[in-house]
Structures are given as C-alpha cells and as structure tokens.
mmCIF file of all heavy atoms in Angstrom:
data_model
loop_
_atom_site.group_PDB
_atom_site.id
_atom_site.type_symbol
_atom_site.label_atom_id
_atom_site.label_comp_id
_atom_site.label_asym_id
_atom_site.label_seq_id
_atom_site.Cartn_x
_atom_site.Cartn_y
_atom_site.Cartn_z
ATOM 1 N N GLY U 1 86.429 117.179 70.438
ATOM 2 C CA GLY U 1 85.679 117.373 71.672
ATOM 3 C C GLY U 1 85.833 116.235 72.654
ATOM 4 O O GLY U 1 86.662 115.332 72.476
ATOM 5 N N PRO U 2 85.013 116.238 73.718
ATOM 6 C CA PRO U 2 85.155 115.253 74.798
ATOM 7 C C PRO U 2 84.663 113.861 74.398
ATOM 8 O O PRO U 2 83.715 113.718 73.623
ATOM 9 C CB PRO U 2 84.270 115.840 75.907
ATOM 10 C CG PRO U 2 83.237 116.641 75.178
ATOM 11 C CD PRO U 2 83.940 117.214 73.969
ATOM 12 N N LYS U 3 85.332 112.859 74.960
ATOM 13 C CA LYS U 3 84.924 111.464 74.749
ATOM 14 C C LYS U 3 85.113 110.694 76.051
ATOM 15 O O LYS U 3 85.863 111.116 76.934
ATOM 16 C CB LYS U 3 85.769 110.811 73.649
ATOM 17 C CG LYS U 3 85.543 111.391 72.258
ATOM 18 C CD LYS U 3 86.287 110.593 71.198
ATOM 19 C CE LYS U 3 86.009 111.137 69.800
ATOM 20 N NZ LYS U 3 86.670 110.312 68.757
ATOM 21 N N PHE U 4 84.412 109.567 76.162
ATOM 22 C CA PHE U 4 84.568 108.690 77.316
ATOM 23 C C PHE U 4 85.147 107.348 76.890
ATOM 24 O O PHE U 4 84.720 106.769 75.891
ATOM 25 C CB PHE U 4 83.226 108.475 78.030
ATOM 26 C CG PHE U 4 82.794 109.637 78.863
ATOM 27 C CD1 PHE U 4 81.666 110.371 78.535
ATOM 28 C CD2 PHE U 4 83.525 110.012 79.984
ATOM 29 C CE1 PHE U 4 81.263 111.451 79.309
ATOM 30 C CE2 PHE U 4 83.139 111.093 80.765
ATOM 31 C CZ PHE U 4 82.008 111.816 80.423
ATOM 32 N N GLU U 5 86.111 106.888 77.677
ATOM 33 C CA GLU U 5 86.715 105.577 77.396
ATOM 34 C C GLU U 5 85.742 104.438 77.689
ATOM 35 O O GLU U 5 85.778 103.403 77.035
ATOM 36 C CB GLU U 5 87.971 105.392 78.266
ATOM 37 C CG GLU U 5 89.096 106.345 77.954
ATOM 38 C CD GLU U 5 90.235 106.255 78.955
ATOM 39 O OE1 GLU U 5 90.139 105.412 79.890
ATOM 40 O OE2 GLU U 5 91.205 107.016 78.819
ATOM 41 N N ARG U 6 84.879 104.637 78.693
ATOM 42 C CA ARG U 6 83.982 103.560 79.129
ATOM 43 C C ARG U 6 82.537 104.057 79.173
ATOM 44 O O ARG U 6 81.962 104.234 80.259
ATOM 45 C CB ARG U 6 84.415 103.061 80.517
ATOM 46 C CG ARG U 6 85.800 102.416 80.509
ATOM 47 C CD ARG U 6 86.288 102.083 81.901
ATOM 48 N NE ARG U 6 86.619 103.272 82.667
ATOM 49 C CZ ARG U 6 87.769 103.946 82.550
ATOM 50 N NH1 ARG U 6 88.698 103.544 81.693
ATOM 51 N NH2 ARG U 6 88.012 105.022 83.286
ATOM 52 N N PRO U 7 81.910 104.295 78.010
ATOM 53 C CA PRO U 7 80.513 104.738 78.010
ATOM 54 C C PRO U 7 79.585 103.635 78.521
ATOM 55 O O PRO U 7 79.984 102.464 78.622
ATOM 56 C CB PRO U 7 80.241 105.052 76.538
ATOM 57 C CG PRO U 7 81.235 104.232 75.782
ATOM 58 C CD PRO U 7 82.459 104.155 76.644
ATOM 59 N N LEU U 8 78.358 104.022 78.836
ATOM 60 C CA LEU U 8 77.376 103.078 79.369
ATOM 61 C C LEU U 8 76.741 102.309 78.212
ATOM 62 O O LEU U 8 75.859 102.823 77.522
ATOM 63 C CB LEU U 8 76.313 103.833 80.165
ATOM 64 C CG LEU U 8 76.842 104.726 81.296
ATOM 65 C CD1 LEU U 8 75.697 105.481 81.961
ATOM 66 C CD2 LEU U 8 77.622 103.899 82.321
ATOM 67 N N LYS U 9 77.176 101.076 77.995
ATOM 68 C CA LYS U 9 76.757 100.309 76.823
ATOM 69 C C LYS U 9 75.607 99.346 77.096
ATOM 70 O O LYS U 9 74.855 98.996 76.190
ATOM 71 C CB LYS U 9 77.944 99.527 76.251
ATOM 72 C CG LYS U 9 79.029 100.400 75.641
ATOM 73 C CD LYS U 9 80.098 99.550 75.008
ATOM 74 C CE LYS U 9 81.154 100.398 74.312
ATOM 75 N NZ LYS U 9 80.632 101.163 73.177
ATOM 76 N N ASP U 10 75.499 98.859 78.325
ATOM 77 C CA ASP U 10 74.483 97.836 78.594
ATOM 78 C C ASP U 10 73.960 97.955 80.025
ATOM 79 O O ASP U 10 74.381 98.841 80.786
ATOM 80 C CB ASP U 10 75.062 96.431 78.355
ATOM 81 C CG ASP U 10 76.359 96.189 79.116
ATOM 82 O OD1 ASP U 10 76.508 96.725 80.243
ATOM 83 O OD2 ASP U 10 77.231 95.469 78.604
ATOM 84 N N GLU U 11 73.058 97.057 80.371
ATOM 85 C CA GLU U 11 72.418 97.112 81.686
ATOM 86 C C GLU U 11 73.424 97.000 82.827
ATOM 87 O O GLU U 11 73.304 97.694 83.841
ATOM 88 C CB GLU U 11 71.372 95.998 81.804
ATOM 89 C CG GLU U 11 70.591 96.036 83.099
ATOM 90 C CD GLU U 11 69.376 95.133 83.072
ATOM 91 O OE1 GLU U 11 69.063 94.585 82.007
ATOM 92 O OE2 GLU U 11 68.731 95.002 84.137
ATOM 93 N N LYS U 12 74.419 96.172 82.640
ATOM 94 C CA LYS U 12 75.430 95.997 83.679
ATOM 95 C C LYS U 12 76.161 97.316 83.959
ATOM 96 O O LYS U 12 76.385 97.688 85.118
ATOM 97 C CB LYS U 12 76.429 94.920 83.260
ATOM 98 C CG LYS U 12 77.502 94.627 84.296
ATOM 99 C CD LYS U 12 78.481 93.579 83.785
ATOM 100 C CE LYS U 12 79.604 93.350 84.792
ATOM 101 N NZ LYS U 12 80.607 92.391 84.278
ATOM 102 N N ASP U 13 76.535 98.006 82.889
ATOM 103 C CA ASP U 13 77.206 99.301 83.047
ATOM 104 C C ASP U 13 76.310 100.294 83.780
ATOM 105 O O ASP U 13 76.752 101.011 84.686
ATOM 106 C CB ASP U 13 77.560 99.896 81.674
ATOM 107 C CG ASP U 13 78.614 99.095 80.933
ATOM 108 O OD1 ASP U 13 79.367 98.358 81.592
ATOM 109 O OD2 ASP U 13 78.661 99.209 79.690
ATOM 110 N N VAL U 14 75.051 100.341 83.375
ATOM 111 C CA VAL U 14 74.123 101.308 83.961
ATOM 112 C C VAL U 14 73.903 101.026 85.438
ATOM 113 O O VAL U 14 73.942 101.939 86.282
ATOM 114 C CB VAL U 14 72.781 101.292 83.199
ATOM 115 C CG1 VAL U 14 71.737 102.138 83.934
ATOM 116 C CG2 VAL U 14 72.965 101.809 81.772
ATOM 117 N N MET U 15 73.662 99.770 85.784
ATOM 118 C CA MET U 15 73.339 99.437 87.168
ATOM 119 C C MET U 15 74.543 99.590 88.098
ATOM 120 O O MET U 15 74.389 99.681 89.317
ATOM 121 C CB MET U 15 72.763 98.029 87.256
ATOM 122 C CG MET U 15 71.471 97.844 86.469
ATOM 123 S SD MET U 15 70.239 99.171 86.683
ATOM 124 C CE MET U 15 69.808 98.947 88.421
ATOM 125 N N ALA U 16 75.746 99.622 87.519
ATOM 126 C CA ALA U 16 76.951 99.813 88.336
ATOM 127 C C ALA U 16 77.216 101.281 88.633
ATOM 128 O O ALA U 16 78.081 101.621 89.447
ATOM 129 C CB ALA U 16 78.157 99.206 87.625
ATOM 130 N N LEU U 17 76.461 102.161 87.992
ATOM 131 C CA LEU U 17 76.677 103.598 88.126
ATOM 132 C C LEU U 17 76.335 104.076 89.534
ATOM 133 O O LEU U 17 75.293 103.726 90.086
ATOM 134 C CB LEU U 17 75.799 104.328 87.108
ATOM 135 C CG LEU U 17 76.174 105.760 86.733
ATOM 136 C CD1 LEU U 17 77.518 105.804 86.030
ATOM 137 C CD2 LEU U 17 75.077 106.355 85.842
ATOM 138 N N LYS U 18 77.219 104.880 90.106
ATOM 139 C CA LYS U 18 77.005 105.402 91.462
ATOM 140 C C LYS U 18 77.379 106.879 91.533
ATOM 141 O O LYS U 18 78.191 107.359 90.743
ATOM 142 C CB LYS U 18 77.863 104.632 92.475
ATOM 143 C CG LYS U 18 77.467 103.173 92.651
ATOM 144 C CD LYS U 18 78.384 102.496 93.665
ATOM 145 C CE LYS U 18 78.001 101.023 93.843
ATOM 146 N NZ LYS U 18 78.933 100.335 94.776
ATOM 147 N N VAL U 19 76.790 107.572 92.505
ATOM 148 C CA VAL U 19 77.188 108.957 92.784
ATOM 149 C C VAL U 19 78.668 108.948 93.150
ATOM 150 O O VAL U 19 79.119 108.088 93.906
ATOM 151 C CB VAL U 19 76.341 109.530 93.939
ATOM 152 C CG1 VAL U 19 76.866 110.891 94.371
ATOM 153 C CG2 VAL U 19 74.877 109.618 93.519
ATOM 154 N N PRO U 20 79.464 109.879 92.610
ATOM 155 C CA PRO U 20 80.907 109.875 92.882
ATOM 156 C C PRO U 20 81.235 110.024 94.366
ATOM 157 O O PRO U 20 80.468 110.638 95.127
ATOM 158 C CB PRO U 20 81.426 111.091 92.101
ATOM 159 C CG PRO U 20 80.379 111.400 91.101
ATOM 160 C CD PRO U 20 79.079 110.967 91.696
ATOM 161 N N GLU U 21 82.353 109.470 94.751
ATOM 162 C CA GLU U 21 82.861 109.673 96.115
ATOM 163 C C GLU U 21 83.148 111.162 96.324
ATOM 164 O O GLU U 21 83.562 111.871 95.394
ATOM 165 C CB GLU U 21 84.157 108.879 96.308
ATOM 166 C CG GLU U 21 84.004 107.368 96.212
ATOM 167 C CD GLU U 21 83.264 106.779 97.395
ATOM 168 O OE1 GLU U 21 83.340 107.379 98.483
ATOM 169 O OE2 GLU U 21 82.588 105.743 97.220
ATOM 170 N N ALA U 22 82.950 111.599 97.543
ATOM 171 C CA ALA U 22 83.060 113.031 97.862
ATOM 172 C C ALA U 22 84.399 113.626 97.429
ATOM 173 O O ALA U 22 84.459 114.726 96.883
ATOM 174 C CB ALA U 22 82.835 113.252 99.351
ATOM 175 N N GLY U 23 85.486 112.915 97.658
ATOM 176 C CA GLY U 23 86.805 113.481 97.384
ATOM 177 C C GLY U 23 87.203 113.491 95.930
ATOM 178 O O GLY U 23 88.188 114.143 95.550
ATOM 179 N N SER U 24 86.438 112.795 95.065
ATOM 180 C CA SER U 24 86.849 112.658 93.664
ATOM 181 C C SER U 24 86.757 113.968 92.887
ATOM 182 O O SER U 24 87.364 114.103 91.826
ATOM 183 C CB SER U 24 86.005 111.586 92.973
ATOM 184 O OG SER U 24 84.625 111.942 93.015
ATOM 185 N N LEU U 25 85.998 114.916 93.398
ATOM 186 C CA LEU U 25 85.849 116.207 92.729
ATOM 187 C C LEU U 25 86.410 117.354 93.566
ATOM 188 O O LEU U 25 86.092 118.523 93.338
ATOM 189 C CB LEU U 25 84.379 116.463 92.397
ATOM 190 C CG LEU U 25 83.830 115.564 91.285
ATOM 191 C CD1 LEU U 25 82.310 115.510 91.316
ATOM 192 C CD2 LEU U 25 84.320 116.051 89.926
ATOM 193 N N GLN U 26 87.280 117.018 94.503
ATOM 194 C CA GLN U 26 87.832 118.033 95.397
ATOM 195 C C GLN U 26 88.587 119.113 94.636
ATOM 196 O O GLN U 26 88.595 120.291 95.035
ATOM 197 C CB GLN U 26 88.752 117.391 96.443
ATOM 198 C CG GLN U 26 89.212 118.331 97.544
ATOM 199 C CD GLN U 26 88.050 118.935 98.333
ATOM 200 O OE1 GLN U 26 87.124 118.221 98.716
ATOM 201 N NE2 GLN U 26 88.101 120.241 98.578
ATOM 202 N N TYR U 27 89.209 118.754 93.516
ATOM 203 C CA TYR U 27 89.955 119.755 92.738
ATOM 204 C C TYR U 27 89.030 120.875 92.252
ATOM 205 O O TYR U 27 89.457 122.027 92.132
ATOM 206 C CB TYR U 27 90.685 119.096 91.555
ATOM 207 C CG TYR U 27 89.783 118.543 90.465
ATOM 208 C CD1 TYR U 27 89.422 119.326 89.372
ATOM 209 C CD2 TYR U 27 89.309 117.236 90.519
ATOM 210 C CE1 TYR U 27 88.610 118.828 88.371
ATOM 211 C CE2 TYR U 27 88.491 116.724 89.527
ATOM 212 C CZ TYR U 27 88.140 117.522 88.459
ATOM 213 O OH TYR U 27 87.320 117.022 87.474
ATOM 214 N N VAL U 28 87.757 120.530 91.991
ATOM 215 C CA VAL U 28 86.798 121.559 91.580
ATOM 216 C C VAL U 28 86.493 122.487 92.749
ATOM 217 O O VAL U 28 86.501 123.717 92.610
ATOM 218 C CB VAL U 28 85.491 120.916 91.063
ATOM 219 C CG1 VAL U 28 84.470 122.007 90.735
ATOM 220 C CG2 VAL U 28 85.758 120.055 89.835
ATOM 221 N N PHE U 29 86.247 121.922 93.912
ATOM 222 C CA PHE U 29 85.892 122.730 95.078
ATOM 223 C C PHE U 29 87.071 123.582 95.531
ATOM 224 O O PHE U 29 86.899 124.735 95.942
ATOM 225 C CB PHE U 29 85.393 121.833 96.213
ATOM 226 C CG PHE U 29 84.381 120.809 95.752
ATOM 227 C CD1 PHE U 29 84.437 119.494 96.178
ATOM 228 C CD2 PHE U 29 83.378 121.170 94.848
ATOM 229 C CE1 PHE U 29 83.523 118.561 95.734
ATOM 230 C CE2 PHE U 29 82.452 120.237 94.396
ATOM 231 C CZ PHE U 29 82.525 118.924 94.843
ATOM 232 N N ASP U 30 88.283 123.029 95.403
ATOM 233 C CA ASP U 30 89.479 123.817 95.716
ATOM 234 C C ASP U 30 89.595 125.006 94.769
ATOM 235 O O ASP U 30 89.969 126.117 95.175
ATOM 236 C CB ASP U 30 90.738 122.952 95.615
ATOM 237 C CG ASP U 30 90.840 121.923 96.741
ATOM 238 O OD1 ASP U 30 90.127 122.076 97.751
ATOM 239 O OD2 ASP U 30 91.633 120.968 96.603
ATOM 240 N N ALA U 31 89.278 124.756 93.487
ATOM 241 C CA ALA U 31 89.332 125.845 92.503
ATOM 242 C C ALA U 31 88.308 126.924 92.832
ATOM 243 O O ALA U 31 88.595 128.123 92.742
ATOM 244 C CB ALA U 31 89.090 125.295 91.098
ATOM 245 N N VAL U 32 87.090 126.519 93.219
ATOM 246 C CA VAL U 32 86.056 127.494 93.571
ATOM 247 C C VAL U 32 86.537 128.413 94.694
ATOM 248 O O VAL U 32 86.439 129.647 94.607
ATOM 249 C CB VAL U 32 84.748 126.778 93.991
ATOM 250 C CG1 VAL U 32 83.758 127.784 94.596
ATOM 251 C CG2 VAL U 32 84.113 126.079 92.802
ATOM 252 N N THR U 33 87.085 127.814 95.746
ATOM 253 C CA THR U 33 87.562 128.613 96.881
ATOM 254 C C THR U 33 88.713 129.525 96.473
ATOM 255 O O THR U 33 88.765 130.699 96.857
ATOM 256 C CB THR U 33 88.002 127.685 98.027
ATOM 257 O OG1 THR U 33 86.896 126.873 98.426
ATOM 258 C CG2 THR U 33 88.489 128.490 99.228
ATOM 259 N N GLN U 34 89.627 128.995 95.673
ATOM 260 C CA GLN U 34 90.781 129.792 95.250
ATOM 261 C C GLN U 34 90.346 130.948 94.356
ATOM 262 O O GLN U 34 90.849 132.078 94.484
ATOM 263 C CB GLN U 34 91.787 128.883 94.527
ATOM 264 C CG GLN U 34 93.135 129.545 94.293
ATOM 265 C CD GLN U 34 94.190 128.540 93.850
ATOM 266 O OE1 GLN U 34 94.185 127.381 94.251
ATOM 267 N NE2 GLN U 34 95.101 128.981 92.995
ATOM 268 N N ILE U 35 89.394 130.688 93.444
ATOM 269 C CA ILE U 35 88.902 131.743 92.546
ATOM 270 C C ILE U 35 88.176 132.817 93.340
ATOM 271 O O ILE U 35 88.401 134.021 93.147
ATOM 272 C CB ILE U 35 87.969 131.150 91.470
ATOM 273 C CG1 ILE U 35 88.748 130.222 90.529
ATOM 274 C CG2 ILE U 35 87.307 132.261 90.664
ATOM 275 C CD1 ILE U 35 87.867 129.309 89.695
ATOM 276 N N ARG U 36 87.291 132.378 94.239
ATOM 277 C CA ARG U 36 86.532 133.341 95.059
ATOM 278 C C ARG U 36 87.490 134.230 95.855
ATOM 279 O O ARG U 36 87.285 135.445 95.968
ATOM 280 C CB ARG U 36 85.593 132.574 95.987
ATOM 281 C CG ARG U 36 84.836 133.425 97.006
ATOM 282 C CD ARG U 36 83.597 134.111 96.440
ATOM 283 N NE ARG U 36 83.002 134.965 97.471
ATOM 284 C CZ ARG U 36 82.100 134.571 98.364
ATOM 285 N NH1 ARG U 36 81.664 133.318 98.357
ATOM 286 N NH2 ARG U 36 81.610 135.419 99.256
#
C-alpha cells in the first residue's frame, strides 16, 4: 500500500506544513474535466 518518504515526525515537520500550491494538483483537475 501507500507510504510517505517524509512523514510528519516532529514539531518542526508539522509547523512547516502548508496548503499545497494551486498548480501542484492540476493533473487531478485536468482529469476531472477530461472525464466529464
């Protein structure tokens, strides 16, 4: 199954977490439009 190379191990990792940049998931939105 799925795994992450860089899981959230400590406070530093957690506090660095941010909402993804808009374009980073564009492949998903392109797929939605193409499927529809």
Side-chain angles (χ1 to χ4, degrees):
K3 293 187 177 183
F4 284 114
E5 295 172 1
R6 296 173 289 280
L8 305 177
K9 292 185 176 296
D10 53 34
E11 184 168 353
K12 182 182 177 183
D13 293 338
V14 171
M15 299 314 294
L17 200 64
K18 293 179 180 177
V19 172
E21 296 289 332
S24 60
L25 290 161
Q26 189 59 46
Y27 68 92
V28 176
F29 313 136
D30 289 344
V32 170
T33 301
Q34 192 168 327
I35 294 164
R36 174 81 184 272

